[in-house]
Amino acid sequence: MNEAETHLYQREGAYIPRVAAVHDLCGYGKCSLGVAIPVLSAAGCDVCPVPTGLFSSHTAFPGWYMHDTTEILADYLNAWKGIGVEIDAVYSGFLGAPEQVDRIRDLYAMYPNALRVVDPVMADHGKVYPTYTPELCSAMAELACGADILTPNLTEAAIILGEPIGEDWGGTDISDEEAHRLVDALVAKGAKHVVLKGIQREGESCIRNFVGGKDCEAFEAHNEYLPYMLHGTGDLYASCLMAAVMAGRSLQEAVAFAGDFVHDAMLVSAEQPDFKDRGVSFEPLLGKVCELL
Ligand SMILES: Nc1ncnc2c1ncn2[C@@H]1O[C@H](COP(=O)(O)OP(=O)(O)O)[C@@H](O)[C@H]1O
Ligand SMILES: Cc1ncc(COP(=O)(O)O)c(C=O)c1O
């Protein structure tokens, strides 16, 4: 083991860790729980879903239907308390309402030793997602500051830090110094480790992910940039990162694994019909996740 690498979860023998996955469920368009459940299961985790909403499809399709589950979540989690469910990690992503952040805090209180992984899904390329109100963005920003591992893209990092987005957003072409500044600023706000996603420099044909944080050697991994975008790749990235961490890999290894896996899944996706709409396809690659163990 490289001393400079950061391990946040020690996998013990045959033990199957249990992960509470707090994400939405999408009927069509692979993303969120549809990604987290298979990926983490392939990494030998027992995934316990906490659905934040039920969607007919991801929100890039016109005419999606959403059922907000906020009302049921307190009873849902209380019932877990009643039967003594044990949880080793809380992994949250897409949320439906600011009150859902309170339910995630309830989970933190119920499982104070669980690893806290926050994918602060809110926005991309300078734009906030259509279901995210300003109240939900500020609640998500607060949650982000309590994460053991925080995985923002650059727009989400700006929102959490209260820096401008929209017309004034700086884009994905950021220097190493700027990546360090953003990570340091997020750590100063309370996040322990930060994986900054999707750095793309002008004139380069690669996409970079950068990790840094508390007692963590800064590390950057890069992959070939593919000239299309798919929905669900952010969820797939965070789920693969989490899968590798829960398999006992270092954060640095996890950052590299997740970038490689998403790249390969994007190639698999491009061979499918309607590939730009269907969400990311990765099913034939799940064996690579099993190999983490
Ligand atoms: N076009 C692409 N080519 C190669 N890798 C990509 C591409 N788009 C996304 N990825 C990989 O997936 C990660 C997550 O990206 P993205 O889906 O844009 O996240 P988010 O939805 O959170 O903004 C990136 O940091 C990168 O590793
Ligand atoms: C309902 C829903 N969940 C999750 C996501 C997150 O997708 P991504 O992984 O591309 O950030 C989206 C984005 O379209 C969505 O519409």
Side-chain angles (χ1 to χ4, degrees), residues 28 56-65 130 277:
Y28 180 70
S56 54
S57 69
H58 65 55
T59 56
F61 283 103
W64 41 270
Y65 167 80
D277 296 329

Side-chain angles (χ1 to χ4, degrees), residues 119 123-125 129 151 153 156 197-198 207-209 223-230 232-235 237 258-259 262-263 266:
D119 185 11
D124 202 5
H125 292 101
Y129 292 145
T151 59
N153 61 35
E156 290 157 351
K197 297 177 306 189
I207 184 161
R208 299 161 184 268
N209 295 301
N223 293 94
E224 173 196 17
Y225 175 74
L226 298 168
Y228 46 91
M229 66 86 66
L230 300 177
T233 45
D235 294 333
Y237 184 89
V262 174
H263 169 270
M266 288 185 73

Side-chain angles (χ1 to χ4, degrees), residues 87 107-116 148:
I87 293 289
L107 275 168
Y108 291 171
M110 278 160 73
Y111 307 109
N113 298 322
L115 189 69
R116 301 173 183 185
D148 291 316

Side-chain angles (χ1 to χ4, degrees), residues 65-260:
Y65 167 80
M66 175 198 182
H67 174 80
D68 183 343
T69 55
T70 307
E71 252 179 31
I72 67 156
L73 290 182
D75 288 344
Y76 188 106
L77 296 178
N78 269 332
W80 279 13
K81 236 189 221 166
I83 56 170
V85 177
E86 286 304 329
I87 293 289
D88 300 290
V90 177
Y91 164 37
S92 63
F94 189 102
L95 303 183
E99 296 77 20
Q100 295 188 350
V101 168
D102 299 330
R103 299 296 76 78
I104 295 171
R105 289 195 208 288
D106 292 346
L107 275 168
Y108 291 171
M110 278 160 73
Y111 307 109
N113 298 322
L115 189 69
R116 301 173 183 185
V117 180
V118 178
D119 185 11
V121 180
M122 293 191 271
D124 202 5
H125 292 101
K127 269 196 165 158
V128 174
Y129 292 145
T131 56
Y132 275 71
T133 59
E135 294 73 27
L136 179 50
C137 288
S138 23
M140 181 71 99
E142 271 181 39
L143 184 74
C145 299
D148 291 316
I149 307 177
L150 177 67
T151 59
N153 61 35
L154 298 173
T155 312
E156 290 157 351
I159 295 175
I160 297 164
L161 293 171
E163 296 180 4
I165 63 157
E167 306 257 299
D168 298 329
W169 178 63
T172 56
D173 181 357
I174 64 165
S175 62
D176 283 348
E177 292 70 33
E178 177 64 356
H180 278 283
R181 182 191 72 81
L182 289 170
V183 168
D184 290 349
L186 291 165
V187 169
K189 279 187 150 267
K192 293 204 179 65
H193 304 92
V194 179
V195 178
L196 212 49
K197 297 177 306 189
I199 299 168
Q200 246 183 294
R201 298 198 178 128
E202 183 106 20
E204 283 187 352
S205 54
C206 69
I207 184 161
R208 299 161 184 268
N209 295 301
F210 181 89
V211 63
K214 212 165 176 263
D215 307 323
C216 172
E217 179 118 325
F219 172 81
E220 187 192 83
H222 60 268
N223 293 94
E224 173 196 17
Y225 175 74
L226 298 168
Y228 46 91
M229 66 86 66
L230 300 177
H231 293 280
T233 45
D235 294 333
L236 184 60
Y237 184 89
S239 296
C240 287
L241 180 93
M242 174 91 190
V245 167
M246 297 310 288
R249 302 303 179 98
S250 70
L251 205 43
Q252 289 82 356
E253 284 176 296
V255 165
F257 174 79
D260 291 348

Side-chain angles (χ1 to χ4, degrees), residues 26-37:
C26 259
Y28 180 70
K30 192 61 74 178
C31 62
S32 45
L33 279 176
V35 172
I37 295 172

